[in-house]
């Protein structure tokens, strides 16, 4: 006991020193009493008339991190709770915006806003493949969303968001090995209320949102919310010869509708029905040039304009794209949550959450990110679709006695995933690849006037017929069923000591049917693989002065690049069926000791699990196995195993200043096995299972209600997240392996330091008016934004600052706010990637290589009018 006390005090001292040395903050409490909640957050009939000015302290803040209402300071979890007012003050509308308030949380998106990835403590699913499930779970009103991108969108009226760090499988279900983003929206209550919002801003932004809450009777209430938002794009686009006509990208055209019906037929039963629909019809996302290598000159020669940026200047926010990036995302669903206080087990609560959801994303893509017509995909359903239809059912029975708080539950999901994946080959593909290949062999050969004819000569086909046309048309249909039993129980061993045991048994069954076709017949590759093909390639090389001795090395290189996945006839007509069946245990063990009313210390050990799956992409290698190196043999088995984590935490939660100052800290050490890494290597996505990834560090938080009007929040995370020193496979061997930089290195998107900060000040004046000011910031130290850790993809440390000032009535009937997001117009790259077909070597600073990036949003500003009646 004495040793534990010393360790806890040392940890507390470290947390306080670290936190106070850095101006960082992460959670805000309301000045008045927090809205009463029952399991999901709705106001009860007998509570809805309570006044806002009832006295409370920060220590009274409650969360539902363990699926029951508990004081924040009593929960032995590293958690950041974000209430409604703080979310409004910092301009949070979607999951991506939440990262500005949470240290250690990074959220990025790539070639479509639907491809959004969340990471906690440097850990998250890497890549854009829908076959990989999320390491950070997104749960909205108790309903698990199958991927982070599916949870992306305007969250509407949010009561609070809880970000839980570390494995949470015994409470929040499947695929939460790195953490959970738990979103709780406003539910109906028994006061008639109308809320409205009108926003205007730069980039011609206009947004209108409103809600109506009405009691229907003494036992029922209804709430409806609707929003419409539009904005011009952040990036100007040179379209070359088209057919793209949109000269901007990154615009917004969003609308949503959400309705809820609450029924409370008895004091022991409430039922909440939810139906929602969201649509996004936008253009997203072009990449900008971050490094312009020699390939840029080849693209330029094949374009009616510059082709790509004449010089790398990414933050000029100018891109080149001749093909459309229009995206059409539809998300809809219905859900019913039932909470019944049963007569069993001293009034245990039975909760049932039933949900059906459908999500579809259609996205056009200019694969070469240039105005040359090289490789593209049309934004049509039969060419570019990722769609989920998901049914989920969860049952929980939750109860308590004088000595035990307990919960048992069942979870079931049935998910259908459809993906249509196509590649269309433009007229510039053949001359581009001809010149690029010759330039790789010998730069002088690429400068020859006849260089564009090389692959025509090597294949023996007329110029212009070697590749052009509809290259690949693939269909993937996956069904995933998940069933689980879980329990989470806390034994109050003494007045001071709590012991928690959580267990989860999960069974995952997946079936994937894939059908591949090459509508244009892949004539170029077919000719090279057919009779006399290698001889023609050799003759074309010898005619250009390539030495005979070099042919054994160069010929496979030419054929390999001529038989990239979308141009490889060996895929044509393939039909595959794959199955996986996983049965796994996960769980947690925690001990929490309250030294006195101010200090609580805890220790925890957890085993987390994320399901394996299949790579939904054309995969080929030199062996026909996923583990093989570069080659042209189709891979039939694209499966990868489940991901596991062993996590250990030692934390302290402390309360000071009569409950108005909270100081919390957590030391963590997490070891991941078979970490699922999906990397884009310039021509295709590959999935690799990394034997070991270790993340260790400290999370700290401070929350201080300095005066009734002044709130200070902050947090800092230090995380050292690294790959193991030894990773088998040719990809990880220097100097030619595409991923050779990974062993022993820091994981991408894993800064050492991540801090968030917010100061809010309310000032009453002129009798019944109120001025409100908020300044928030997020800092992240240097990290790499590429999964292959190329030095060209390093993002230097940066800080994003948001600010908002408002004036309105003290009773909040109206308020006018001036706001700015990214106030200082900080330039940063969300994700760096190899320019497709323009990167030939993993060696740093290769002059031939070109790189692109997806940028963070620039400064936006505007005015918002809010009304409440």
């Amino acid at each position: 006991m004495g040793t534990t006390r010393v360790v806890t005090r040392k940890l507390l001292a470290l947390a306080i020193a670290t936190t106070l040395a850095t101006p960082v903050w992460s959670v805000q409490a309301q000045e008045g009493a927090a809205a009463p909640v029952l399991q999901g957050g709705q106001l009860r009939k007998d509570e809805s008339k309570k006044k806002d000015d009832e006295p409370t302290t920060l220590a009274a803040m409650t969360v539902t991190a363990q699926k029951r209402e508990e004081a924040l300071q009593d929960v032995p979890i590293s958690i950041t709770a974000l209430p409604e007012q703080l979310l409004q003050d910092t301009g949070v509308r979607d999951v991506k915006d939440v990262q500005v308030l949470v240290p250690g949380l990074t959220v990025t998106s790539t070639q479509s806003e639907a491809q959004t990835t969340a990471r906690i403590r440097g850990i998250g699913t890497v890549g854009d493949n829908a076959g990989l499930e999320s390491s950070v779970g997104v749960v909205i009103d108790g309903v698990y969303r199958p991927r982070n991108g599916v949870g992306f969108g305007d969250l509407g009226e949010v009561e609070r968001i809880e970000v839980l760090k570390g494995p949470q499988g015994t409470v929040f279900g499947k695929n939460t090995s790195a953490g959970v983003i738990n979103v709780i929206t406003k539910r109906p209550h028994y006061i008639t209320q109308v809320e409205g919002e009108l926003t205007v801003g730069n980039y011609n932004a206009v947004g209108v949102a409103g809600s109506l809450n009405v009691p229907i009777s003494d036992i029922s209430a209804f709430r409806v919310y609707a929003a419409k938002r539009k904005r011009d794009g952040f990036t100007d686009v040179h379209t070359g010869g088209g057919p793209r006509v949109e000269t901007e990208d990154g615009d917004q055209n969003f609308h949503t509708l959400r309705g809820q019906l609450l029924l409370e037929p008895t004091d022991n039963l409430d039922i909440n029905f939810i139906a929602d629909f969201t649509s996004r019809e936008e253009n997203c996302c072009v990449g900008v040039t971050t490094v312009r290598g020699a390939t840029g000159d080849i693209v330029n020669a094949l374009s009616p304009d510059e082709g790509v940026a004449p010089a790398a200047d990414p933050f000029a926010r100018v891109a080149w794209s001749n093909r459309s990036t229009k995206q059409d995302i539809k998300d809809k669903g219905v859900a019913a949550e039932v909470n019944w206080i049963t007569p069993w087990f001293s009034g245990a609560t039975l909760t049932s959450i039933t949900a059906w959801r459908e999500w579809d994303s259609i996205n056009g893509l200019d694969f070469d990110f240039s105005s040359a017509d090289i490789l593209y995909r049309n934004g049509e359903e039969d060419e570019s679709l990722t769609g989920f239809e998901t049914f989920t059912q969860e049952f929980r029975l939750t109860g308590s006695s004088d000595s035990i708080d307990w919960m048992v539950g069942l979870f079931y999901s049935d998910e259908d995933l459809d993906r249509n994946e196509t590649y269309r080959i433009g007229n510039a593909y053949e001359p581009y690849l001809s010149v690029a290949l010759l330039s790789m062999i010998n730069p002088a050969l690429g400068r020859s006037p006849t260089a564009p004819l090389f692959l025509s000569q090597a294949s023996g086909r007329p110029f212009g017929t070697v590749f052009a046309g509809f290259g690949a048309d693939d269909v993937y249909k996956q069904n995933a069923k998940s069933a689980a039993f879980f329990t989470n129980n806390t034994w109050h061993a003494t007045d001071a000591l709590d012991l928690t045991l959580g267990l989860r048994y999960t069974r995952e069954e997946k079936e994937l049917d894939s059908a591949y076709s090459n509508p244009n017949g892949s004539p170029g590759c077919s000719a090279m693989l057919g009779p006399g093909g290698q001889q023609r390639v050799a003759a074309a090389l010898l005619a250009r002065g390539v030495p005979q001795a070099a042919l054994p090395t160069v010929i496979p290189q030419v054929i390999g690049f001529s038989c990239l996945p979308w141009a490889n006839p060996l895929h044509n007509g393939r039909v595959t069926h794959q199955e996986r069946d996983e049965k796994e245990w996960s769980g947690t063990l925690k001990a929490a000791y309250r030294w006195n009313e101010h200090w609580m210390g805890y220790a925890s050990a957890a085993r987390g699990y994320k399901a394996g799956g299949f790579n939904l992409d054309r995969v080929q290698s030199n062996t026909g196995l996923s583990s093989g190196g570069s080659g042209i043999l189709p891979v039939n088995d694209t499966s990868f195993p489940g991901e596991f984590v062993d996590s250990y935490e030692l934390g302290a939660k402390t309360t000071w200043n009569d409950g108005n100052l909270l100081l919390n800290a957590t030391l963590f050490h997490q070891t991941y096995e078979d970490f699922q890494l999906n990397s884009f290597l310039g021509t295709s996505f590959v999935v690799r299972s990394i034997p070991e990834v270790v993340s260790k560090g400290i999370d700290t938080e401070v929350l201080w209600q300095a005066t009734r009007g002044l709130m200070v929040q902050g947090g800092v995370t230090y995380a050292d997240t690294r790959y193991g020193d030894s990773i088998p496979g040719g990809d990880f061997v220097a100097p030619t392996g595409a991923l050779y930089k990974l062993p022993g290195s820091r994981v991408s998107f894993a800064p050492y330091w991540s801090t968030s900060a917010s100061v809010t000040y309310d000032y009453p004046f002129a009798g019944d008016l109120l001025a409100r000011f908020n300044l928030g910031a997020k800092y992240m130290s240097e990290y790499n934004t590429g999964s292959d850790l190329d030095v060209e993809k390093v993002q230097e440390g940066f800080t994003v600052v948001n600010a908002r000032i408002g004036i309105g009535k003290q009773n909040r009937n109206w308020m006018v706010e001036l706001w700015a997001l990214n106030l200082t117009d900080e330039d940063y790259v969300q994700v760096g990637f190899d320019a497709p077909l323009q990167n030939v070597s993993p060696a740093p600073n290769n002059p031939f290589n070109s790189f692109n990036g997806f940028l963070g949003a620039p400064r936006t500003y505007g005015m918002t009018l809010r009304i409440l009646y």
Side-chain angles (χ1 to χ4, degrees):
M1 183 71 71
T3 301
T4 304
R5 185 186 303 269
V6 170
V7 171
T8 303
R9 287 180 173 174
K10 286 184 176 180
L11 174 62
L12 176 62
L14 176 60
I16 295 173
T18 305
T19 302
L20 297 182
T22 311
V24 291
W25 319 302
S26 69
V27 69
Q28 174 169 348
Q30 299 177 33
E31 292 178 15
V37 215
L38 175 66
Q39 293 289 52
Q42 78 274 22
L43 289 168
R44 296 290 299 185
K45 294 186 294 246
D46 56 351
E47 294 173 328
S48 60
K49 301 195 181 292
K50 288 187 177 182
K51 297 182 179 180
D52 291 338
D53 56 357
E54 292 181 358
T56 190
T57 66
L58 298 180
M61 292 179 60
T62 61
V63 294
T64 53
Q66 297 189 114
K67 295 292 178 72
R68 65 173 73 240
E69 286 184 51
E70 298 173 285
L72 174 67
Q73 295 300 87
D74 290 336
V75 180
I77 297 173
S78 180
I79 176 174
T80 299
L82 309 171
E84 176 188 8
Q85 186 62 64
L86 179 61
L87 297 171
Q88 282 188 5
D89 287 341
T90 48
V92 171
R93 297 196 185 279
D94 56 50
V95 169
K96 193 172 182 180
D97 295 333
V98 173
Q99 64 181 319
V100 76
L101 292 168
V102 183
L105 173 66
T106 305
V107 186
T108 59
S109 56
T110 56
Q111 60 195 26
S112 166
E113 292 286 18
Q115 295 172 333
T116 298
T117 301
R119 300 172 178 87
I120 291 178
R121 297 170 175 169
I123 297 294
T125 301
V126 178
D128 300 331
N129 194 318
L132 282 83
E133 303 185 37
S134 310
S135 299
V136 177
V138 175
V139 177
I140 301 177
D141 289 332
V143 178
Y144 171 78
R145 301 302 174 95
R147 307 292 186 275
N148 292 161
V150 177
F152 178 85
D154 193 315
L155 296 173
E157 300 179 291
V158 177
E159 180 180 294
R160 71 182 182 278
I161 296 176
E162 300 170 357
V163 179
L164 286 64
K165 300 176 181 180
Q168 306 295 330
T170 61
V171 177
F172 280 93
K174 61 177 297 186
N175 299 329
T176 58
S177 57
V180 170
I181 300 173
N182 183 32
V183 180
I184 301 99
T185 67
K186 285 186 178 180
R187 300 180 74 181
H189 54 76
Y190 290 88
I191 298 175
T192 299
Q193 196 172 71
V194 177
E195 296 183 57
E197 174 193 308
L198 172 64
T199 295
V200 295
N202 61 334
Y203 294 97
N204 292 319
V206 178
V208 179
S211 69
L212 170 66
N213 186 95
V214 291
I216 300 174
S217 68
D218 289 342
I219 62 169
S220 60
F222 176 73
R223 188 178 193 96
V224 62
Y225 169 81
K228 168 72 173 177
R229 307 189 194 281
K230 294 190 70 173
R231 186 198 64 220
D232 291 345
F234 293 150
T235 305
D236 294 326
V237 180
H238 292 254
T239 60
R244 178 180 177 131
V245 296
E246 300 87 5
T247 57
E248 289 184 347
D249 198 87
D251 57 316
Q252 184 181 71
N253 182 18
F254 167 89
H255 59 269
T256 188
L257 180 65
R258 178 184 180 89
Q260 299 183 71
L261 174 63
L262 173 66
L263 304 176
E264 295 182 298
T266 72
D267 289 341
N268 294 330
L269 177 65
D270 72 75
I271 307 168
N272 194 49
F273 297 97
I274 304 175
D276 64 273
F277 172 80
T278 297
S279 174
R280 302 176 68 99
E281 298 171 352
E282 305 161 351
N283 295 283
C284 186
C285 302
V286 292
V288 297
T289 300
T290 56
V291 175
R292 191 185 194 277
T295 52
D297 296 331
I298 306 173
V299 174
N300 187 32
L302 297 170
S303 309
D305 54 7
E306 301 90 346
V308 294
D313 186 12
F315 299 107
R317 298 187 184 272
V318 178
W320 277 256
S321 178
N322 71 306
R323 293 288 176 173
S324 174
T325 56
K326 68 177 182 179
Q327 65 176 10
D328 185 356
I329 303 172
K330 298 291 189 290
D331 184 21
K332 58 186 176 184
V334 292
E337 179 177 343
V338 180
N339 291 291
W340 175 36
I341 301 176
T342 72
W344 314 323
F345 307 111
S346 303
T349 298
L350 177 64
T351 299
S352 169
I353 302 177
T354 307
W356 171 87
R357 301 206 61 83
E358 183 176 312
W359 182 88
D360 295 308
S361 174
I362 300 169
N363 187 218
L365 182 61
D366 191 340
F367 279 102
D368 50 276
F369 296 92
S370 78
S371 58
D373 200 26
I374 298 176
L375 196 64
Y376 64 97
R377 176 183 300 155
N378 289 326
E380 300 172 1
E381 181 175 345
D382 59 352
E383 292 197 23
S384 174
L385 168 71
T386 300
F388 292 94
E389 184 174 347
T390 309
F391 170 81
T392 58
Q393 174 65 58
E394 181 173 339
F395 292 107
R396 296 194 307 270
L397 187 62
T398 306
S400 61
S401 65
D402 290 341
S403 59
I404 298 178
D405 295 332
W406 55 269
M407 178 180 69
V408 294
L410 297 172
F411 175 82
Y412 174 78
S413 71
D414 189 343
E415 171 193 291
D416 288 318
L417 167 58
D418 292 323
R419 189 180 193 195
N420 299 334
E421 180 91 345
T422 60
Y423 292 85
R424 289 186 177 269
I425 301 173
N427 292 328
Y429 185 94
E430 179 184 332
Y432 172 80
L433 194 58
S434 295
V435 176
L437 277 169
L438 289 175
S439 299
M440 288 167 53
I441 297 167
N442 184 341
L445 297 178
R447 292 191 289 269
S448 167
T450 62
L453 303 175
F454 170 61
L455 288 176
S456 171
Q457 297 163 350
S459 64
R461 294 190 55 83
F463 178 76
T465 69
V466 181
F467 295 105
F470 198 176
D473 185 5
D474 303 336
V475 177
Y476 304 89
K477 291 186 178 297
Q478 176 179 285
N479 176 259
K481 291 183 174 66
S482 178
F485 164 80
F486 59 92
T487 182
N488 199 76
N489 312 284
T490 299
W491 174 39
H492 306 295
T494 70
D495 289 341
L497 176 63
D498 289 343
L499 300 175
T500 299
L501 173 66
L503 289 173
R504 183 182 187 90
Y505 175 76
T506 304
R507 178 169 183 176
E508 295 270 351
E509 296 178 326
K510 286 187 171 73
E511 293 188 7
L512 172 65
D513 290 294
S514 308
Y516 306 85
S517 65
N518 293 34
N520 68 353
S522 302
C525 180
S526 295
M528 295 183 192
L529 296 180
Q534 292 198 30
Q535 289 81 359
R536 284 190 296 270
V537 174
L541 291 168
L542 290 170
R544 294 175 180 277
V546 176
Q548 180 80 36
L551 293 183
T553 300
V554 176
I555 290 175
Q557 186 178 31
V558 171
I559 295 177
F561 275 96
S562 298
C563 298
L564 293 171
W566 50 82
N568 186 349
L570 299 179
H571 291 281
N572 193 31
R574 291 175 57 229
V575 176
T576 64
H577 177 80
Q578 301 181 70
E579 296 183 7
R580 288 189 62 83
D581 188 355
E582 300 177 4
K583 303 173 184 178
E584 301 293 347
W585 286 94
S586 55
T588 186
L589 180 64
K590 301 174 183 176
Y593 190 83
R594 181 158 290 284
W595 301 97
N596 54 44
E597 61 180 328
H598 302 297
W599 289 13
M600 187 267 281
Y602 64 92
S604 70
R607 174 75 164 176
Y609 158 68
K610 186 180 80 164
F614 307 103
N615 186 353
L616 305 187
D617 209 343
R618 286 196 175 194
V619 183
Q620 57 190 47
S621 72
N622 61 336
T623 62
L625 302 175
S626 287
S627 58
S630 298
I632 64 172
L633 295 179
V635 173
N636 290 325
D637 181 3
T638 67
S639 64
F640 50 87
E643 179 180 291
F644 297 88
V645 57
D646 292 321
S647 175
Y648 303 94
E649 295 188 354
L650 180 64
K653 294 196 170 185
T654 70
T655 306
W656 308 87
N657 194 26
D658 295 326
N660 284 312
L661 174 62
L662 311 181
L663 294 170
N664 301 330
T666 303
L667 289 169
F668 60 88
H669 188 287
Q670 303 173 144
T671 302
Y672 286 79
E673 305 170 35
D674 291 328
F675 178 75
Q676 297 165 3
L677 176 69
N678 187 30
S679 298
F680 178 69
L681 302 182
T683 58
S684 62
F685 290 93
V686 299
V687 178
R688 296 288 183 261
S689 292
I690 309 300
E692 182 180 81
V693 173
V694 175
S695 179
K696 55 187 177 181
I698 183 170
D699 286 312
T700 67
E701 293 184 305
V702 59
L703 176 59
W704 181 31
Q705 182 80 58
T707 67
R708 181 172 177 82
L710 178 63
M711 175 71 71
V712 178
Q713 310 89 27
V716 56
T717 294
Y718 173 81
D720 185 4
T721 306
R722 293 182 177 274
Y723 296 111
D725 292 331
S726 177
I727 307 177
D731 284 338
F732 303 96
V733 177
T736 58
L739 302 175
Y740 81 86
K741 305 178 186 74
L742 270 62
S745 298
R746 195 150 44 103
V747 172
S748 57
F749 302 98
Y752 281 129
W753 295 98
S754 174
T755 68
S756 66
S758 183
V759 177
T760 305
Y761 183 65
D762 284 351
Y763 177 71
F765 71 100
D768 62 350
L769 295 182
L770 177 74
R772 184 175 182 84
F773 170 80
N774 175 269
L775 183 68
K778 174 71 174 285
Y779 166 77
M780 289 193 289
S781 61
E782 179 186 287
Y783 60 94
N784 197 299
T785 67
S787 56
D788 54 8
L789 301 183
D790 286 339
V791 295
E792 292 86 352
K793 300 169 187 174
V794 170
Q795 169 61 52
E796 296 180 355
F798 66 98
T799 303
V800 173
V801 179
N802 297 339
R804 186 174 298 253
I805 185 169
I807 296 177
K809 296 276 286 185
Q810 287 189 35
N811 61 10
R812 309 299 173 95
N813 277 355
W814 64 266
M815 179 162 282
V816 177
E817 301 168 349
L818 300 176
W819 52 266
L821 306 180
N822 193 4
L823 177 65
T824 60
D825 202 20
E826 184 81 354
D827 292 333
Y828 63 98
V829 174
Q830 284 192 84
V831 178
F833 61 99
D834 298 357
L837 296 172
Q838 301 173 54
N839 197 299
V840 300
S841 169
N845 304 312
N846 187 301
F848 197 75
N849 293 345
S850 294
F851 296 87
N852 292 338
F854 297 110
L855 303 182
R859 175 173 51 222
T860 56
Y861 54 86
M863 180 176 67
T864 296
L865 169 65
R866 302 185 194 275
I867 59 171
L868 170 63
Y869 289 103

